[in-house]
Amino acid sequence: TPAITRHKQLTLSVSSGGKNCRQSKMVKNSLARHLKMMESAHLVIVGTDHNHLTVEEREPFHLTGHRHEQAGFMIMQLWGIHEFMILNTCNRVEVIAVVSEETMQNGILRHVMGFTHFKEDKYYLKTDRAAFEHLCLVTGGMLSQTPGENHITAQMKEALEQSKTRGWSGNMIQEWISTALHVSKAIKNMVSPLLHSYEIEDLSLRYLEAQKKIDQNTTIMVLGSGMVGKGLVKDSLPKVGKIIWCYHVNRPEVSQDWNGKIDLCTFNDMKNRITEADVIVSAADTPGHLLHLGHEPFFNQERPVTVIDLGMPRNVDPALDDMSSDVTVVDLDGLKYWYRRELADMTEILAQSRAIITENRDLYEKITNSFKGGNPAE
């Protein structure tokens, strides 16, 4: 006789073929509890970002390499978490999850993320409609260090695919992210006439131009061959005289049109080329410092060098800034504070963005209702 549990329109039957009735009952009880928790499926987001912590403060909380998988494994063990994904970028680290009422109330996600010793103004915990609004604003780039940037869209999609591949999420999270992407398009269409859309690599070059650090006689060294590194090289071509492009494993492809201006080198050979650089921009995905005090002998002490660190965790040891008056290190916070002085009034832009989200509240209600067993069309 199979173990049976009924919950509204659902009936579950568990059978061991008569070989282990105790096991069937245990599985049935577990599923029955899970079904009951589905009655209260809440969208919850727990995280911190550049608006809550400085680069130095949030660096230990970013989930790079094996730490990303370890955090996911820990969350997988929590009862009442139906699905989740982890968004980890240079600006923020947050868990987006669909959870039961009990799990939402007990604050376990805050513990897993290591925020227990934080004051409430150092992180955010969003639930239900507030979480949906946050998700749409993040996906639309409105909460990024450079508001309106587009990299976050690709990062959100990549984080979703990683979570699906690892079995952390399925249709629930997929629906939330798809809906947020839909709403974010309307937000971007609205703000595009009001806000210059700068990616982080654009912002770096604008900063260097404003500080008169680059011209046709400048040699710039770019560390990293990922999306940001490629953008830096492409955008630097018409602005500088020479580019030294450093990579780790994946040797970047160089267009024939670029050959006369770009030299490739590996991270291992980087130290031998530092003395040639007027500007160094690091955009690598690495858990440690690529540039550190051990590189001090390789800097030309008679040549001023500006180093911009776009990494999170940071790629450049901040101590290099104190090494010499001719070496200036600028991190993500430094770029942010410089840019915010030039920024348009974000208060009005955020108000208009939230109005668009409110106009799409029926999408939120539709998804929430479908999770709880109602009619998705209601």
Side-chain angles (χ1 to χ4, degrees):
T1 302
I4 297 174
T5 182
R6 295 180 175 86
H7 188 77
K8 294 188 175 179
Q9 74 272 27
L10 291 176
T11 300
L12 291 178
S13 176
V14 182
S15 172
S16 62
K19 296 181 180 179
N20 195 330
C21 294
R22 179 173 294 177
Q23 185 181 56
S24 298
K25 186 175 181 179
M26 289 174 64
V27 172
K28 182 264 295 184
N29 290 339
S30 178
L31 290 173
R33 184 180 176 191
H34 185 71
L35 283 174
K36 185 177 181 180
M37 285 185 168
M38 287 289 290
E39 279 290 291
S40 58
H42 295 271
L43 179 65
V44 174
I45 298 177
V46 181
T48 190
D49 66 2
H50 64 100
N51 289 316
H52 293 76
L53 297 178
T54 66
V55 166
E56 184 176 0
E57 288 173 330
R58 72 178 184 272
E59 192 172 39
F61 297 95
H62 275 259
L63 304 173
T64 57
H66 69 281
R67 293 186 62 211
H68 188 273
E69 292 192 33
Q70 285 179 339
F73 177 80
M74 291 174 64
I75 296 172
M76 280 282 285
Q77 312 312 307
L78 301 178
W79 191 262
I81 301 225
H82 306 305
E83 294 183 11
F84 70 93
M85 61 180 276
I86 300 174
L87 180 63
N88 189 82
T89 73
C90 62
N91 293 325
R92 71 184 62 252
V93 55
E94 63 185 33
V95 173
I96 304 164
V98 179
V99 306
S100 69
E101 178 79 28
E102 180 183 352
T103 304
M104 182 180 72
Q105 297 292 341
N106 65 25
I108 189 65
L109 279 175
R110 182 167 62 93
H111 286 265
V112 171
M113 296 298 288
F115 298 162
T116 50
H117 66 284
F118 276 168
K119 294 182 179 179
E120 290 186 357
D121 61 347
K122 295 296 184 181
Y123 71 98
Y124 46 84
L125 194 160
K126 310 283 186 179
T127 61
D128 298 323
R129 289 179 179 83
F132 178 64
E133 177 183 280
H134 174 87
L135 192 58
C136 293
L137 290 174
V138 167
T139 308
M142 294 300 100
L143 301 183
S144 295
Q145 179 170 290
T146 55
E149 56 96 7
N150 293 311
H151 285 336
I152 185 63
T153 301
Q155 291 166 334
M156 186 72 76
K157 291 179 179 178
E158 182 181 0
L160 174 62
E161 288 306 312
Q162 285 182 345
S163 68
K164 290 166 65 177
T165 299
R166 292 170 177 165
W168 301 345
S169 68
N171 291 339
M172 286 181 164
I173 292 293
Q174 173 74 65
E175 283 194 59
W176 283 122
I177 300 303
S178 296
T179 303
L181 288 168
H182 171 76
V183 176
S184 72
K185 288 182 180 179
I187 293 174
K188 289 181 177 180
N189 289 336
M190 180 273 295
V191 304
S192 58
L194 308 174
L195 189 68
H196 292 293
S197 179
Y198 295 118
E199 307 302 340
I200 193 66
E201 57 268 32
D202 301 325
L203 187 62
S204 303
L205 295 176
R206 289 188 72 239
Y207 171 84
L208 291 168
E209 289 176 313
Q211 305 299 315
K212 302 187 185 304
K213 297 297 183 181
I214 56 173
D215 56 34
Q216 291 300 319
N217 297 315
T218 302
T219 296
I220 184 172
M221 174 180 279
V222 176
L223 311 184
S225 58
M227 177 172 59
V228 176
K230 291 176 182 176
L232 280 166
V233 169
K234 182 179 178 181
D235 294 342
S236 297
L237 278 170
K239 302 176 185 291
V240 302
K242 183 179 180 180
I243 300 173
I244 302 172
W245 195 358
C246 302
Y247 64 95
H248 179 40
V249 175
N250 300 318
R251 180 185 175 94
E253 294 184 5
V254 177
S255 168
Q256 292 183 352
D257 298 335
W258 301 357
N259 280 339
K261 225 171 184 181
I262 297 179
D263 284 348
L264 296 178
C265 80
T266 65
F267 284 170
N268 291 333
D269 295 329
M270 178 180 65
K271 61 182 182 295
N272 300 318
R273 307 296 301 272
I274 289 176
T275 188
E276 303 173 42
D278 301 295
V279 172
I280 301 174
V281 184
S282 184
D285 183 13
T286 174
H289 292 149
L290 287 176
L291 282 179
H292 45 77
L293 290 178
H295 290 101
E296 180 178 0
F298 301 98
F299 280 86
N300 186 339
Q301 301 300 324
E302 299 179 356
R303 187 174 191 167
V305 179
T306 299
V307 182
I308 296 183
D309 185 1
L310 303 180
M312 179 51 66
R314 286 174 288 185
N315 300 161
V316 180
D317 188 342
L320 280 175
D321 192 53
D322 301 323
M323 181 183 74
S324 165
S325 60
D326 289 330
V327 177
T328 302
V329 178
V330 181
D331 60 19
L332 289 166
D333 277 353
L335 285 178
K336 169 185 168 181
Y337 297 138
W338 171 79
Y339 179 57
R340 289 298 169 96
R341 291 196 298 267
E342 299 187 344
L343 198 58
D345 182 9
M346 281 300 296
T347 303
E348 178 60 26
I349 291 174
L350 285 172
Q352 293 187 42
S353 299
R354 290 189 171 98
I356 290 174
I357 297 169
T358 300
E359 291 172 3
N360 287 274
R361 62 183 178 272
D362 60 312
L363 299 177
Y364 167 83
E365 301 292 349
K366 179 179 179 181
I367 296 175
T368 302
N369 193 46
S370 68
F371 291 165
K372 297 179 180 180
N375 184 353
E378 291 180 355

